[in-house]
Amino acid sequence: MKSDLALLKVNKVIIHEVPKHTKYGGSAGGPVYSEVESQLDQELAVYFQEKTISSLGSNKSFDIEIDSSSESPVPALLTKHFNSLVEDFVETSKKMAEHLYNIQDGTNPAGLLAVLDCTLHKERAMGLIKLEKEEGVRLKQQLLGGRLTFDLHILRDLVLTERTRVYKLALFVSIPEKEGDYDAAASDNQTGYGSYNEVATFFLNKFLGCKLRKEPHVATKHFYEAVESFVNEKVEDPVLRSQYHGHVVSELLSQSPTVSTEQFAETFLPVDLRKSFVDHLKSSEVPANFPKNNELIDRRLKKTLYEFQSGIRVIAPNDLDDGRMKITSLENGDTKVEIQDRLEEVRGK
Amino acid sequence: MPDLEEARTRWITELPIYSRFVDHVIAILRHELRDPGIQIYGRTKEIDSLLKKLILKPNKTYETLTDKAGVRVIVKFTEDLEVVGQFIEQRFNNYKKDDKRANLKIDQVGYQGIHYDIRLNDDESKDTEFDNIWAEIQVRTLAQHLWSDMAHELGYKPEVPVPDSMLRRLNRLSALLEISDDEFTSLLNLLRSMPGFETFKALRLLEGEFYKFAAVDYNKELSMHVIEALNHLYGAGGFVEQHEQFEQFCRQKERRLLHIFDENRNVLTKPIFLFQPESLMLFQLLEHDKFKLREEWVKHFPPRELEQMAVKWGTPYAL
């Protein structure tokens, strides 16, 4: 996200209970709505602010945008909320909870939807937290000014409790003079391979009506190219250049479904290079986190080209056995490449 | 002899402009001389004082009386006189300097402040109410100020004639305070060579900014520990040498800092480092290079505490 998250202020929170919804109509007869916002003190406001910032700053957060082809009512509800001068926060949030209930099937666990009315300095923002809760745990509502609502401590305790800490979160920050466009991100605190798929399919597409701001195959290509340009522009030592290039290849070919630019920096680069690396990627518009898709760079991940001042070019497969090729820096600034192999053929080019 | 009635009338009319000019000059000085040890204040001349001066100094006219507006800068150590003087001479193109130290012969003691008559630079004052408005800036040490203040009270410009014996006693005090200034400077230099001094000075600088955002008591021992641990991240000269960049950072990020401290002021479960002066140091380092900061931090303190501060700063570590 581009917004200054430190300025996030949570002004109102409302919670609706969204029970499991089977195709036979569910057992609880639809969502249990709050009729009024929950009571929010400074302690809780700061708690939700911190949760939002840390989730969206984590390596499980993705920049998103509205998908105009989506049938979700959430984008229209967001537009209405940000543009409306009339206080309709409760009704908007209820419609979001209703939509969540309607798109759920028997595989989606019961849970809660918390809707946060926020500001970031002068901009308005809305946060949505979808929280899973254990089946059978019944939450009691309380009366506030004669109207039913949930106690926010329930939500806080559920988020904190190890057993029920699975939640998904999205934040939409309005962009002045760009109606319907938001600085937005979504995250899933769940770890593991399923994490991104869950965000992408159900929470992101079906519920929020959004898609990733940058398609995975484009983000992956940009990442690869940005790392290459960083390595060639900022790293002088040829041995290190070769090593870092190897790291990006192995990262993209690894089993991990997503890439975090910060974690890549922390894992593979010395501390002195990390900041400039992350800044370089940011200025190249590479998302901080993205799901991997190598389809545009598949061929480039198979081989590495070494090009020298004199015109010599060496193309080597990336899955070479150890010891076949050795790169060394010489004191005079030259680079020595040693290849130990059997010569197959010599051709003019 | 100047026309006193005309001077009186003009002063009544122009006093508000001079008063605003004093505020303007104070603002310029305060903006640059941010050391909390420096006192800056000002005044416009009382009407009776102005008229008396015109009577007693017949060579002066209303126009040539340059101390109608006066600003005083009081520093703790004699070395700071040079720092302030240099700033004034660079900042104001139009100045006249009167160094009282240079006027004293080797066998004389007395007041040793430096006085400047200044007006704004031409491009600043052109077409404004401050065009050709002068003020006097007096720069002196605390010890010089003490002597000057007391001498004024006891013997200087006396209401009744003062005997020589009393003037001699005043001069003895002046000599003593001159020695005090030298001794204070000498002690300061000794202090500077002692271990921990740089850390303490860094804490003072941090405090100067911190108290703009939070007026709370804090754990000094913890602050010293953090400063010592992170000081080298500011390069060979440490935090103290980079304090101008730090102050600039605080000004640039003022809105964000105000928001963070205001939001968390009454929160019980806040990070333990937030309401400590070194929180500003952490925020600056988070902004500058959060990777280097963490590398150093984890050698001394729990990682979780830094992670919490990073969340407050809006740039969490991607965990």
Side-chain angles (χ1 to χ4, degrees):
Chain A
M1 289 185 82
K2 289 179 178 162
S3 303
D4 185 350
L5 288 177
L7 298 175
L8 182 71
K9 189 174 163 68
V10 178
N11 303 311
K12 284 188 264 185
V13 180
I14 190 164
I15 307 173
H16 306 294
E17 189 174 356
V18 184
K20 200 165 183 168
H21 187 191
T22 66
K23 61 182 175 180
Y24 305 110
S27 55
V32 181
Y33 296 116
S34 288
E35 294 163 349
V36 65
E37 300 109 36
S38 300
Q39 238 173 347
L40 184 68
D41 57 26
Q42 186 65 4
E43 196 83 24
L44 280 164
V46 167
Y47 171 77
F48 284 111
Q49 177 218 43
E50 281 178 4
K51 271 286 160 210
T52 307
I53 296 173
S54 55
S55 294
L56 296 178
S58 76
N59 57 9
K60 297 163 196 98
S61 165
F62 306 97
D63 287 349
I64 59 169
E65 63 184 12
I66 301 292
D67 182 355
S68 55
S69 65
S70 165
E71 290 173 4
S72 165
V74 171
L77 289 167
L78 285 168
T79 307
K80 192 177 163 214
H81 173 72
F82 288 127
N83 293 337
S84 174
L85 297 173
V86 185
E87 187 54 66
D88 61 353
F89 177 60
V90 176
E91 280 311 306
T92 300
S93 70
K94 280 164 98 171
K95 283 177 185 159
M96 288 175 172
E98 185 187 10
H99 169 59
L100 180 59
Y101 178 74
N102 288 338
I103 57 170
Q104 288 196 156
D105 58 28
T107 60
N108 298 109
L112 299 170
L113 178 71
V115 184
L116 283 59
D117 180 44
C118 314
T119 43
L120 259 99
H121 188 47
K122 288 177 184 166
E123 310 314 329
R124 293 185 70 185
M126 182 172 262
L128 292 113
I129 305 175
K130 179 184 174 289
L131 178 77
E132 289 176 17
K133 75 172 176 64
E134 284 201 346
E135 224 172 324
V137 177
R138 298 297 306 170
L139 304 175
K140 275 188 182 172
Q141 285 183 304
Q142 61 182 22
L143 279 171
L144 187 66
R147 287 185 288 181
L148 285 166
T149 191
F150 286 100
D151 182 354
L152 279 183
H153 290 93
I154 294 171
L155 185 59
R156 188 175 69 170
D157 295 345
L158 280 174
V159 175
L160 282 174
T161 308
E162 287 296 313
R163 289 185 308 170
T164 49
R165 62 185 175 152
V166 178
Y167 66 91
K168 294 162 183 59
L169 187 150
L171 183 74
F172 295 86
V173 183
S174 64
I175 301 174
E177 294 159 15
K178 275 193 169 180
E179 190 183 307
D181 196 4
Y182 308 97
D183 183 20
S187 77
D188 184 341
N189 79 325
Q190 198 174 21
T191 52
Y193 184 78
S195 164
Y196 164 67
N197 286 340
E198 173 68 9
V199 173
T201 54
F202 183 76
F203 185 64
L204 185 60
N205 303 141
K206 277 192 179 170
F207 177 54
L208 296 175
C210 291
K211 59 181 182 180
L212 291 173
R213 192 166 274 277
K214 201 166 242 185
E215 291 289 318
H217 61 285
V218 179
T220 306
K221 180 172 178 275
H222 286 180
F223 170 75
Y224 178 79
E225 287 169 352
V227 178
E228 264 192 355
S229 67
F230 178 83
V231 167
N232 286 314
E233 287 164 23
K234 303 280 166 63
V235 182
E236 283 185 13
D237 185 329
V239 177
L240 290 176
R241 272 196 207 178
S242 171
Q243 270 178 18
Y244 298 156
H245 190 269
H247 291 322
V248 72
V249 171
S250 58
E251 172 73 19
L252 290 175
L253 292 174
S254 76
Q255 290 296 308
S256 167
T258 57
V259 173
S260 155
T261 55
E262 267 194 31
Q263 284 206 326
F264 180 87
E266 296 223 50
T267 310
F268 296 115
L269 301 180
V271 70
D272 285 344
L273 275 184
R274 290 174 196 165
K275 171 78 163 56
S276 57
F277 173 81
V278 170
D279 287 349
H280 180 81
L281 265 59
K282 213 179 275 180
S283 66
S284 308
E285 308 225 322
V286 176
N289 309 298
F290 59 90
K292 272 187 332 202
N293 180 331
N294 293 337
E295 71 180 54
L296 296 179
I297 50 166
D298 248 348
R299 288 181 58 195
R300 290 153 83 180
L301 292 177
K302 288 188 177 121
K303 289 178 181 175
T304 300
L305 165 71
Y306 300 84
E307 198 164 359
F308 295 86
Q309 261 179 8
S310 61
I312 296 172
R313 303 173 96 200
V314 177
I315 298 170
N318 285 327
D319 56 356
L320 268 184
D321 293 338
D322 278 353
R324 285 257 177 247
M325 192 166 126
K326 190 178 168 196
I327 301 175
T328 323
S329 296
L330 302 179
E331 276 184 12
N332 66 356
D334 282 358
T335 306
K336 185 164 94 180
V337 179
E338 295 167 80
I339 297 166
Q340 185 179 336
D341 208 339
R342 290 190 183 191
L343 186 68
E344 285 275 327
E345 189 173 17
V346 180
R347 271 189 290 147
K349 185 151 183 172
Chain B
M1 173 68 72
D3 185 338
L4 291 179
E5 186 49 33
E6 189 198 335
R8 194 183 74 83
T9 317
R10 276 188 70 182
W11 188 229
I12 289 168
T13 313
E14 293 177 3
L15 185 62
I17 297 171
Y18 278 86
S19 185
R20 286 192 287 275
F21 188 57
V22 167
D23 291 342
H24 187 69
V25 174
I26 288 174
I28 290 172
L29 294 170
R30 280 197 181 139
H31 185 260
E32 188 59 30
L33 308 170
R34 285 165 159 259
D35 187 330
I38 296 179
Q39 300 172 45
I40 302 168
Y41 56 90
R43 61 98 184 100
T44 46
K45 222 168 179 56
E46 294 293 335
I47 194 160
D48 60 328
S49 172
L50 180 122
L51 296 178
K52 271 185 214 166
K53 194 157 188 176
L54 286 173
I55 294 166
L56 292 171
K57 296 194 171 175
N59 59 331
K60 293 274 184 190
T61 65
Y62 179 85
E63 281 80 15
T64 59
L65 211 58
T66 48
D67 69 342
K68 295 195 282 292
V71 173
R72 189 167 286 159
V73 181
I74 300 173
V75 299
K76 286 189 175 154
F77 299 98
T78 44
E79 65 181 24
D80 296 330
L81 292 173
E82 303 302 327
V83 176
V84 176
Q86 268 178 19
F87 168 68
I88 290 171
E89 289 170 29
Q90 282 166 8
R91 177 62 182 77
F92 302 101
N93 294 339
N94 305 302
Y95 72 86
K96 292 170 200 162
K97 182 178 178 181
D98 179 11
D99 188 343
K100 304 288 183 191
R101 295 172 298 187
N103 301 336
L104 293 175
K105 292 181 182 159
I106 53 165
D107 57 350
Q108 283 183 324
V109 290
Y111 176 61
Q112 297 191 29
I114 308 169
H115 292 190
Y116 289 90
D117 292 334
I118 62 101
R119 65 180 173 85
L120 293 182
N121 299 339
D122 296 342
D123 55 338
E124 282 178 287
S125 62
K126 194 182 171 193
D127 300 327
T128 74
E129 62 177 354
F130 300 145
D131 192 19
N132 209 30
I133 299 285
W134 287 82
E136 182 188 66
I137 303 176
Q138 297 181 350
V139 189
R140 51 172 70 161
T141 64
L142 204 52
Q144 286 163 0
H145 178 62
L146 173 66
W147 185 83
S148 169
D149 218 22
M150 297 309 285
H152 190 274
E153 194 72 23
L154 297 171
Y156 181 65
K157 295 180 184 173
E159 301 297 325
V160 290
V162 174
D164 283 355
S165 61
M166 194 172 157
L167 286 174
R168 180 175 168 73
R169 287 169 71 184
L170 269 174
N171 285 335
R172 285 165 59 202
L173 280 171
S174 171
L176 202 56
L177 286 165
E178 189 177 331
I179 293 168
S180 304
D181 260 342
D182 286 350
E183 280 297 292
F184 286 137
T185 301
S186 171
L187 285 168
L188 176 68
N189 288 332
L190 267 177
L191 197 61
R192 278 175 175 156
S193 63
M194 291 171 74
F197 176 80
E198 282 298 304
T199 309
F200 183 70
K201 192 163 182 192
L203 180 57
R204 289 284 305 279
L205 291 164
L206 284 165
E207 263 184 350
E209 292 295 330
F210 176 68
Y211 284 138
K212 291 175 187 168
F213 303 104
V216 293
D217 200 9
Y218 66 91
N219 185 321
K220 191 175 274 183
E221 199 183 338
L222 184 60
S223 295
M224 301 284 275
H225 193 23
V226 175
I227 295 166
E228 274 165 18
L230 305 180
N231 198 37
H232 73 277
L233 292 176
Y234 286 88
F239 175 81
V240 172
E241 202 163 272
Q242 302 288 326
H243 78 275
E244 284 181 10
Q245 283 95 319
F246 168 72
E247 285 155 5
Q248 197 179 358
F249 164 80
C250 291
R251 285 197 291 278
Q252 282 170 351
K253 304 290 178 187
E254 191 177 10
R255 187 171 73 196
R256 198 196 290 204
L257 290 166
L258 280 170
H259 176 84
I260 292 168
F261 286 107
D262 286 349
E263 281 284 292
N264 291 279
R265 209 173 301 283
N266 300 315
V267 173
L268 293 173
T269 53
K270 50 187 172 259
I272 56 172
F273 288 94
L274 184 57
F275 280 83
Q276 290 273 117
E278 66 274 19
S279 59
L280 298 175
M281 187 187 231
L282 292 179
F283 289 147
Q284 189 194 14
L285 291 169
L286 276 168
E287 186 81 5
H288 178 67
D289 191 336
K290 67 181 190 176
F291 301 102
K292 274 188 193 160
L293 172 60
R294 181 156 68 178
E295 182 106 333
E296 198 53 46
W297 179 270
V298 296
K299 293 177 192 166
H300 309 272
F301 310 105
R304 175 87 188 119
E305 295 303 323
L306 179 62
E307 285 156 21
Q308 286 184 331
M309 292 297 282
V311 169
K312 290 288 170 207
W313 191 240
T315 55
Y317 287 98
L319 301 170

